[in-house]
Amino acid sequence: FLDSDYCAINDEDFFVRGLLHLPIIGAGEAFCFGVWGSLSRKNLEALIQADATGEQPEFDPMFSWLSTWPKGYPDTHGVKMYAHIQDKDTRPYFRLEPSDHPLAREYHEGITVERLREIMFTFLPAQEI
């Protein structure tokens, strides 16, 4: 099962799509990655049920493992985070747990404009200047 918000693989692994915000130092803004995070079956079912009924209950932050490996970073296996569910028309956002992983450090410490350029160029096709 896969749609733009949720994924279930073999009825064993469950995921929600959300945003990971990296603060840009000195800019008062953030660079956002769209990422997938794991969820328990119970939490995924609660989110799908809320969507189906149109209800908007308050959800506590949901434990999650980062399930996306953004370009330019080492393997993200084992990066812990929490999914924060917002209103039904807004993607959840993720809060990474502090760790030595470069992505977690940048999440908590912020990135420079120069680092933002590096990240952006990993996603852009090579261009002749």
Side-chain angles (χ1 to χ4, degrees):
F1 157 72
L2 172 68
D3 68 16
S4 62
D5 299 309
Y6 307 115
C7 176
I9 300 173
N10 296 329
D11 203 31
E12 295 175 8
D13 298 302
F14 310 96
F15 306 91
V16 63
R17 188 169 168 210
L19 297 173
L20 182 62
H21 301 260
L22 299 182
I24 303 167
I25 297 168
E29 295 184 29
F31 173 73
C32 296
F33 278 114
V35 299
W36 289 92
S38 67
L39 289 180
S40 68
R41 175 193 302 269
K42 177 182 172 186
N43 283 340
L44 181 70
E45 288 174 349
L47 293 176
I48 291 173
Q49 178 67 23
D51 283 353
T53 62
E55 296 175 13
Q56 188 54 49
E58 282 231 4
F59 290 104
D60 290 332
M62 300 175 176
F63 180 78
S64 181
W65 295 101
L66 181 58
S67 301
T68 300
W69 185 348
K71 283 182 172 183
Y73 289 94
D75 185 355
T76 57
H77 179 78
V79 174
K80 297 177 185 179
M81 61 185 188
Y82 284 86
H84 291 257
I85 309 305
Q86 303 183 87
D87 65 62
K88 67 179 185 146
D89 296 324
T90 306
R91 287 213 182 279
Y93 67 91
F94 294 107
R95 290 195 180 269
L96 294 182
E97 288 285 292
S99 78
D100 288 335
H101 192 281
L103 183 59
R105 283 197 316 265
E106 290 182 345
Y107 174 83
H108 289 281
E109 297 169 10
I111 59 174
T112 63
V113 172
E114 292 78 21
R115 176 65 178 132
L116 175 60
R117 281 191 198 103
E118 290 174 18
I119 293 169
M120 295 300 296
F121 281 114
T122 65
F123 289 95
L124 297 173
Q127 302 266 335
E128 287 187 30
I129 298 178

